[in-house]
Amino acid sequence: MFLAHPKRLFSRKREVTASSRHYVDRLFDLDPQKVLQGVMLLYLLQQETSSTELRTECAVVLGSLAMGTENNVKSLLDCHIIPALLQGLLLPDLKFIEACLRCLRTIFISPVTPEDLLYTDATVISHLMALLSRSRYTQEYICQIFSHCCKLQHWHSCGFKSLPQPLLCANGPDHQTILFNHGAVQNIAHLLVSTSYKVRMQALKCFSVLAFENPQVSMTLVNVSVDGELLPQIFVKMLQRDKPIEMQLTSAKCLTSMCRAGAIRTDDSCIVLKTLPCLVRMCSKERLLEERVEGAETLAYLIETDVELQRIASITDHLIVMLADYFKYPSSVSAITDIKRLDHDLKHAHELRQAAFKLYASLGANDEDIRKKIIETENMMDRIVNGLSESSIKVRLAAVRCLHSLSRSVQQLRTSFQDHAVWKPLMKVLQNAPNEILVVASSTLCNLLLEFSPSKEPILESGAIELLCSLTQSENLALRVNGIWALMNMAFQAEQKIKSDILRGLSTEQLFQLLSDSDVNVLMKTLGLLRNLLSTRPHIDHIMSTHGKQIMQAVTLILEGEHNIEVKEQTLCILANIADGTTAKELIMTNDDILQKIKYYMSHSNAKLQLAAMFCISNLIWNEEEGSQERQDKLRDMGIVDILHKLSQSSDPNLCDKAKTALQQYLA
């Protein structure tokens, strides 16, 4: 589109070569048409007849153009600037190479540039590795290019492992693996001790991106030494208070990634005494807003799965109270006279809230006392409730995560969660949200539906059954699990009407679908739901009178299938519940196939399955119930009594006791 007049361009090439300044000046002209004409430089850059000086100047000016708007970068990308600059790297002249790399760096930093463009030609990475030794500028720019073109999951969108979004190259391996396989660790490690601060910093950033969620890179970094010093020790030195904040933060990220990947133990002094305190420092009021965001997010990731680190962080520098300040931006307008400052605060306000919610979620993941401290922080529940309805999807997700973490507390479910009617905004979030939020929100709902939670009743009244039944049909596995899990919690010790509503909402067809789900979690939770539905006699009899045929079919299906011990045990427990019904037990007694299966599991090699099968038998032969004599006779004819005698001699005390109790029913 820019080279619309090739003939005219060719005829003027010599004139341009003589006076390139004219074109250079044009790029800084505000008229967009003239700016676009400036892209002719790209043509000159690639002409072998252009002098090296002219080509270098073209690369410099293209770099300046790329520093302009995103539209400038898009236009340059449309003209295939990247292949042209990469081609330029093959020339011997160092000044020209540096200019090309500087321009490439500027283009790859832009959010509109696809990272994969660096990986389209397999030889490019090797060549860039080779150019690392040419000068401190090649080192700085190449490391910067690598860190911007190495995407697994971005730090700021790191969803705490929940939904990783690796950006894979077309040819398979991800960016980290490609760079690692081309010797990135060995080629970049020595740059950490460069005399140039910029080189050290870019090398450090490169490692923070390479190591993120990557055990292979992390395990390698632990054992690499530079000038006789291991990399973790070098990173720890870069964490010290006298180093620039950017360096402290980035080295803390490197050590955090190595720790999360299992390359450094969580109780290692470099984590407990260096990395964690450094990250807490980054959360203080003295730091810039963007530093506080990055510090809190990195700390949240570091402590996310480790109880001890959560406890240490919670008592370091009053962190829990310090984080409350993250919600106070932008400050009241009257206090801000500087409009730029207001703009800056507004821009970072949602990032600060997101980071605080994430860190609170990690801090409260396991410890009851920490959860209590978080909830007692000023206006905390109100802040979470407000966070659930924010326009920013990232803040909503972080607020739901925080709520989920705190909902693991029995005490808080009974008090704060009820006082603030948290279930209302949560149900609203569940009505219409992307899967990422739905997964965490539905997990939280599972906790709010536990039998001791006062929120259970109002949630039921607000149409939760329909919502949860629809989640069980989701293609997203986590949503199916959570939907059925929440229904299982809802059915526990529930009244008959709720149980009937659940069965009606699910439909027999959907129940079968869930029982034949390929994921064992879905299957186990569905069996758990059935077990909770089939509890207390009147309920068992009522449900089996309406759904008995289908439920017996499902039980047969599972007992015949290739399933693990836990699944079969849960299924036999469902049969034991059915056997406890008054009329329902006849569905077992008239089904010889099921009776044979129970008999088979009584003699199984696994004691858990034997015990579960014995519960079925005990409930069928219990003396005080009508028709017990006929049932006992039928089972004796099947050889059940012989098996009971054998089991009464078992070395397993549970089996032995259960068999003796059952035999007493025959003697009574």
Side-chain angles (χ1 to χ4, degrees):
M1 116 176 140
F2 305 123
L3 306 182
H5 307 289
K7 282 184 182 157
R8 207 172 74 199
L9 186 62
F10 273 98
S11 64
R12 292 171 56 190
K13 186 165 75 71
R14 282 194 188 80
E15 171 202 334
V16 173
T17 309
S19 169
S20 67
R21 204 63 252 166
H22 163 69
Y23 276 84
V24 171
D25 293 340
R26 274 186 155 186
L27 289 174
F28 300 99
D29 196 302
L30 292 175
D31 181 341
Q33 283 311 109
K34 291 184 184 173
V35 173
L36 293 183
Q37 283 177 356
V39 178
M40 292 173 180
L41 289 167
L42 193 50
Y43 170 80
L44 296 175
L45 179 93
Q46 295 174 83
Q47 288 307 301
E48 289 177 19
T49 50
S50 298
S51 69
T52 306
E53 290 74 19
L54 173 61
R55 290 168 110 175
T56 305
E57 192 158 5
C58 289
V60 169
V61 180
L62 285 165
S64 302
L65 185 59
M67 282 178 179
T69 65
E70 288 184 0
N71 280 338
N72 285 12
V73 178
K74 281 181 184 164
S75 302
L76 291 169
L77 289 172
D78 289 343
C79 289
H80 308 294
I81 189 170
I82 290 179
L85 291 168
L86 290 173
Q87 198 61 33
L89 299 180
L90 298 172
L91 293 183
D93 186 85
L94 182 57
K95 285 277 168 272
F96 179 53
I97 288 173
E98 288 173 351
C100 287
L101 284 171
R102 193 181 303 116
C103 186
L104 278 166
R105 181 270 316 263
T106 306
I107 286 168
F108 275 118
I109 282 176
S110 168
V112 300
T113 309
E115 298 86 14
D116 284 348
L117 290 177
L118 187 68
Y119 303 93
T120 45
D121 180 340
T123 61
V124 168
I125 305 296
S126 314
H127 190 60
L128 288 172
M129 292 292 177
L131 290 174
L132 274 170
S133 59
R134 293 291 298 273
S135 74
R136 75 184 182 84
Y137 294 113
T138 64
Q139 291 168 348
E140 180 192 335
Y141 304 145
I142 290 169
C143 283
Q144 214 172 346
I145 289 167
F146 284 162
S147 32
H148 278 275
C149 295
C150 181
K151 288 285 187 285
L152 169 73
Q153 244 182 312
H154 200 280
W155 274 90
H156 284 306
S157 63
C158 86
F160 288 138
K161 290 234 175 193
S162 59
L163 293 169
Q165 297 157 316
L167 292 159
L168 299 183
C169 305
N171 61 350
D174 59 62
H175 302 161
Q176 288 174 323
T177 308
I178 294 169
L179 293 173
F180 179 80
N181 290 344
H182 279 87
V185 173
Q186 294 72 15
N187 283 303
I188 295 170
H190 69 279
L191 304 182
L192 290 169
V193 295
S194 164
T195 52
S196 156
Y197 171 75
K198 283 184 173 178
V199 171
R200 290 202 303 280
M201 201 51 237
Q202 293 307 332
L204 190 58
K205 283 183 176 173
C206 205
F207 280 137
S208 85
V209 176
L210 276 172
F212 181 58
E213 297 214 327
N214 193 313
Q216 186 185 30
V217 173
S218 296
M219 294 294 186
T220 307
L221 290 180
V222 169
N223 300 310
V224 171
S225 62
V226 179
D227 295 349
E229 203 168 15
L230 287 167
L231 284 196
Q233 294 167 316
I234 294 175
F235 293 150
V236 167
K237 279 186 178 172
M238 292 173 151
L239 278 178
Q240 289 166 351
R241 289 169 187 258
D242 61 341
K243 295 289 185 286
I245 295 299
E246 173 188 40
M247 183 172 270
Q248 290 184 46
L249 248 176
T250 313
S251 44
K253 279 184 173 185
C254 290
L255 289 160
T256 293
S257 287
M258 290 163 76
C259 178
R260 283 299 306 264
I264 300 176
R265 287 168 55 108
T266 53
D267 59 0
D268 191 300
S269 63
C270 79
I271 298 297
V272 178
L273 303 178
K274 302 288 182 184
T275 309
L276 187 147
C278 167
L279 290 169
V280 174
R281 279 202 306 278
M282 295 302 147
C283 298
S284 74
K285 254 183 174 165
E286 286 69 55
R287 301 272 49 90
L288 297 173
L289 299 188
E290 40 271 66
E291 291 163 359
R292 295 174 78 183
V293 167
E294 208 161 358
E297 293 222 333
T298 308
L299 182 56
Y301 181 56
L302 173 67
I303 68 173
E304 186 193 2
T305 56
D306 191 88
V307 189
E308 201 44 45
L309 289 180
Q310 288 157 11
R311 288 189 183 131
I312 295 166
S314 74
I315 54 168
T316 304
D317 294 353
H318 307 289
L319 176 64
I320 291 176
V321 177
M322 199 195 306
L323 281 177
D325 189 66
Y326 278 46
F327 295 95
K328 295 175 183 171
Y329 292 88
S331 321
S332 61
V333 178
S334 57
I336 299 182
T337 47
D338 178 355
I339 199 74
K340 270 189 174 172
R341 160 95 191 280
L342 175 63
D343 190 48
H344 177 262
D345 282 13
L346 278 167
K347 186 167 158 265
H348 286 93
H350 73 274
E351 287 179 3
L352 282 161
R353 290 195 294 277
Q354 178 193 349
F357 281 138
K358 275 188 182 180
L359 185 42
Y360 277 138
S362 283
L363 283 163
N366 295 286
D367 189 287
E368 192 66 26
D369 292 338
I370 298 175
R371 288 186 196 122
K372 192 167 182 291
K373 277 186 201 162
I374 292 171
I375 284 173
E376 286 168 359
T377 307
E378 51 174 325
N379 307 327
M380 192 60 210
M381 291 308 285
D382 292 333
R383 283 180 177 143
I384 295 174
V385 167
N386 292 339
L388 293 175
S389 55
E390 281 216 25
S391 57
S392 159
I393 189 165
K394 289 181 175 179
V395 178
R396 284 210 307 279
L397 177 58
V400 175
R401 282 189 185 292
C402 185
L403 190 65
H404 179 235
S405 186
L406 300 173
S407 75
R408 294 180 180 137
S409 160
V410 175
Q411 182 58 35
Q412 300 310 330
L413 283 174
R414 285 184 169 144
T415 53
S416 311
F417 275 55
Q418 188 58 12
D419 299 343
H420 291 81
V422 167
W423 64 270
K424 282 184 185 170
L426 186 68
M427 286 298 287
K428 202 172 169 191
V429 167
L430 281 160
Q431 300 303 328
N432 184 20
N435 279 359
E436 201 177 0
I437 289 180
L438 273 182
V439 168
V440 192
S442 54
S443 286
T444 312
L445 194 63
C446 287
N447 292 344
L448 291 179
L449 286 168
L450 290 163
E451 81 278 6
F452 51 73
S453 164
S455 310
K456 186 172 179 177
E457 283 303 311
I459 289 172
L460 276 166
E461 287 159 18
S462 69
I465 292 178
E466 194 181 339
L467 174 87
L468 294 170
C469 288
S470 70
L471 286 185
T472 67
Q473 297 176 27
S474 170
E475 284 183 16
N476 180 299
L477 172 60
L479 287 179
R480 286 205 305 283
V481 170
N482 287 348
I484 202 73
W485 194 339
L487 289 170
M488 180 183 94
N489 287 350
M490 194 184 269
F492 184 75
Q493 294 182 350
E495 54 194 64
Q496 189 170 304
K497 182 191 179 304
I498 292 169
K499 291 181 177 181
S500 298
D501 287 350
I502 291 173
L503 273 170
R504 199 174 305 116
L506 261 186
S507 82
T508 316
E509 193 183 342
Q510 179 57 10
L511 195 61
F512 269 98
Q513 198 72 42
L514 291 164
L515 288 170
S516 53
D517 199 286
S518 58
D519 184 81
V520 72
N521 270 326
V522 174
L523 179 52
M524 280 298 281
K525 295 288 179 282
T526 309
L527 292 170
L529 167 64
L530 266 180
R531 196 173 165 181
N532 287 349
L533 290 171
L534 294 164
S535 62
T536 74
R537 275 188 188 163
H539 297 183
I540 295 168
D541 289 334
H542 175 74
I543 288 170
M544 292 308 286
S545 71
T546 53
H547 294 80
K549 190 181 166 196
Q550 295 93 327
I551 289 172
M552 293 304 283
Q553 250 177 312
V555 165
T556 310
L557 207 70
I558 290 167
L559 290 177
E560 283 176 353
E562 292 291 319
H563 294 291
N564 65 29
I565 298 294
E566 284 69 30
V567 167
K568 301 242 168 150
E569 181 190 18
Q570 188 80 299
T571 309
L572 287 166
C573 288
I574 290 169
L575 270 182
N577 284 11
I578 295 168
D580 194 37
T582 307
T583 54
K585 54 168 57 86
E586 283 313 305
L587 286 163
I588 296 177
M589 290 308 300
T590 54
N591 188 327
D592 288 346
D593 186 23
I594 285 284
L595 288 173
Q596 287 299 334
K597 284 182 170 55
I598 295 171
K599 179 184 173 183
Y600 165 76
Y601 284 108
M602 283 177 76
S603 304
H604 198 275
S605 57
N606 184 284
K608 279 184 177 179
L609 296 183
Q610 287 179 284
L611 206 56
M614 297 249 283
F615 273 108
C616 298
I617 295 297
S618 294
N619 285 345
L620 290 172
I621 62 175
W622 207 253
N623 254 328
E624 295 149 23
E625 289 164 16
E626 197 182 329
S628 62
Q629 191 59 54
E630 290 88 339
R631 289 192 293 276
Q632 284 183 7
D633 292 345
K634 178 166 184 176
L635 293 171
R636 179 190 278 113
D637 294 344
M638 279 179 62
I640 296 293
V641 176
D642 298 338
I643 300 173
L644 287 173
H645 277 298
K646 210 177 286 177
L647 289 172
S648 66
Q649 310 299 314
S650 168
S651 57
D652 183 315
N654 283 334
L655 284 176
C656 178
D657 289 351
K658 198 74 192 155
K660 284 176 178 170
T661 309
L663 284 169
Q664 278 167 2
Q665 296 304 307
Y666 274 94
L667 302 171

